[in-house]
Amino acid sequence: MRYVTRTDLLIIIRNMGLLMIGIGVISLVPIIVDLIYLEFNFINFLVPSVISIAIGLFITHVLDEYSLSKIRLKHAMIISSLSWLWAGIVGGVILQMVTGLSIVDGIFESISALTGSGITIYPDVESLPHSVLFFRGFQQWIGGLGIIVMIISVLTKPGTISSKLYRSEARDDYIKPSTKATIKQFIKIYLIYTTVGIILYSLAGMPIFDSVCNTFSIISTGGMSVKNANIGFYNDELIYFITIILMILGATSFVVHYNLIKTRGESIINDLQFQVMITLIAISTLLIYFTSKIIPMDILFVVVSAITTTGASIESSVVMGGWPPFAIFIIISLMLIGGSTGSTVGAIKLMRVITFFKGIYKNSREIWSPESSVVSVKVSDKKLTDDVAAQSGNYIALYLLCILITWALLCLYGHNAFDSLFFTISMQGNVGLEIGQISQTLEWPLKIMGIFNMWTGRLEIYPVLITLRAFFEIFKK
């Protein structure tokens, strides 16, 4: 039985063309910064962007008859996977042309920014042009809400296509009847918090360019900074607190943000994921504080950075590498868990973890309860079914398998086992924290594997697996 037919491919290619246009347009934005700072790199942004737009226009014109075809979820997942990869390639070519990186390094850096992983190949980011620094920040900002979400808000009409593409980016939360209306509200919230972040950073004394780029990076839980020392460069506790607030906002569900004013703050206080996140932050901070001699602000900052999968830091990776093993263990655990579903974070996400443990509790109760009794367990006022619990367990197992494979490869290439585990979890969870300096010494095959980890981590694995299955079927004939 064929799972991918000729019609399937044409539907995928046609709608992929639409997103290629959007990716090309997005990649033109840094030209404004290039012209403001008179850096004259605009041609290097212009050429890849125009090529993406031209290919997209050609595809949508030639295959226009397939625009009304009934798009299925499998189509949307493949389109989403390929669009993220295409955006990474276009961005990688731009970085290669402007800064002279190899194409593999450029794509790694671009995918890292888009997926909010925040791991950088550049040893000295302060030497980069303003346009490149802005581009990296802008990529994080776009990727935080979702490339597909951003593009379909402008280029697609309400209906099946926008709905399926929205779900393909691992989103199923709605605050309005239609997908486009929901997306518009999410973007409005995102813009408000971005504006607030820029203003707060500026009032705290941060230069306006840094304020814009760092807000893009932090509200999207991306973590790439315009400074080599990241947020630690500013050596200002007020800036640290602003960053902590923005990280938590970015890791909180957009649905909760939307209901914040309507409920006069009750939506965020009563949200189970937010409650668990704040509890984990408090417990983890106290555990590290009482078992180490680390400065309290350093502890709080990295704990919040880890669970929100932001990867921002105020201490260098070398200093963090000298922290006690128990403190590193806690950070690893937080990087695995991540923040709220329906936010900008990566990792497994709190709702899956909560559902997984609730499922274990439900199964245990069913075993020790009388045979005639009915065991009912709720998660956020919804009855927990065996299917939902199993789905969470399956995803967690698949997620850990991805980590295990990459960790084994890093060890095979001779990297320190403990540092490699930390780095692998950071890549797969789109975090960006690091102990040691593995990112600066990665061999090119490991960079390709890292691209795969960050890609699958952002799309929550299944869309990529569906895409690989489709390619396997196409080429096996």
Side-chain angles (χ1 to χ4, degrees), residues 305-411:
S305 183
I307 197 168
T308 61
T309 71
T310 306
S313 61
I314 56 178
E315 286 290 357
S316 70
S317 58
V318 175
V319 171
M320 278 189 60
W323 284 14
F326 182 67
I328 299 297
F329 168 77
I330 292 175
I331 300 304
I332 286 176
S333 301
L334 295 174
M335 290 196 302
L336 280 170
I337 295 169
S340 301
T341 301
S343 67
T344 65
V345 302
I348 294 170
K349 295 186 176 63
L350 282 164
M351 187 52 72
R352 281 201 187 93
V353 176
I354 294 167
T355 301
F356 177 71
F357 282 107
K358 286 272 190 176
I360 293 174
Y361 171 70
K362 182 176 182 291
N363 290 338
S364 300
R365 278 192 59 187
E366 287 173 343
I367 292 170
W368 72 59
S369 298
E371 291 185 11
S372 58
S373 61
V374 177
V375 176
S376 180
V377 175
K378 291 185 177 182
V379 178
S380 293
D381 297 325
K382 294 181 180 179
K383 186 177 179 181
L384 177 64
T385 64
D386 290 337
D387 286 344
V388 172
Q391 287 171 10
S392 294
N394 291 341
Y395 181 81
I396 291 171
L398 191 57
Y399 188 90
L400 294 177
L401 180 62
C402 290
I403 289 173
L404 187 64
I405 292 170
T406 304
W407 183 27
L409 288 174
L410 280 162
C411 292

Side-chain angles (χ1 to χ4, degrees), residues 77-254:
M77 284 189 167
I78 296 171
I79 292 165
S80 181
S81 298
L82 294 178
S83 296
W84 278 81
L85 200 56
W86 179 256
I89 291 170
V90 171
V93 170
I94 289 172
L95 293 176
Q96 188 269 333
M97 291 177 69
V98 177
T99 65
L101 285 179
S102 70
I103 191 62
V104 173
D105 284 358
I107 295 173
F108 184 98
E109 185 82 13
S110 180
I111 289 287
S112 179
L114 286 165
T115 59
S117 301
I119 299 167
T120 185
I121 293 294
Y122 293 109
D124 180 16
V125 298
E126 292 176 33
S127 65
L128 297 174
H130 289 83
S131 55
V132 170
L133 293 174
F134 176 84
F135 184 47
R136 292 158 80 242
F138 189 60
Q139 283 184 303
Q140 290 171 90
W141 190 78
I142 292 291
L145 194 55
I147 296 171
I148 310 301
V149 167
M150 289 291 193
I151 292 173
I152 64 177
S153 68
V154 178
L155 296 182
T156 66
K157 297 177 181 180
T160 305
I161 292 178
S162 59
S163 175
K164 291 293 195 303
L165 288 172
Y166 179 72
R167 290 176 59 195
S168 74
E169 278 195 328
R171 294 185 180 276
D172 57 7
D173 41 336
Y174 285 84
I175 54 179
K176 292 288 183 179
S178 75
T179 301
K180 286 207 69 168
T182 294
I183 291 172
K184 285 180 179 179
Q185 290 299 322
F186 284 172
I187 292 176
K188 187 184 295 184
I189 293 166
Y190 204 44
L191 286 170
I192 290 171
Y193 284 136
T194 300
T195 303
V196 169
I198 293 170
I199 292 171
L200 289 177
Y201 274 142
S202 298
L203 292 175
M206 188 181 288
I208 186 64
F209 179 80
D210 293 18
S211 298
V212 171
C213 292
N214 284 326
T215 300
F216 282 173
S217 173
I218 301 302
I219 198 65
S220 65
T221 62
M224 278 185 177
S225 179
V226 295
K227 301 297 182 183
N228 294 328
N230 208 277
I231 301 299
F233 169 86
Y234 303 99
N235 194 28
D236 188 319
E237 293 209 349
L238 177 58
I239 288 176
Y240 298 164
F241 277 117
I242 292 170
T243 305
I244 287 170
I245 292 168
L246 291 176
M247 287 192 288
I248 292 173
L249 288 174
T252 303
S253 169
F254 279 97

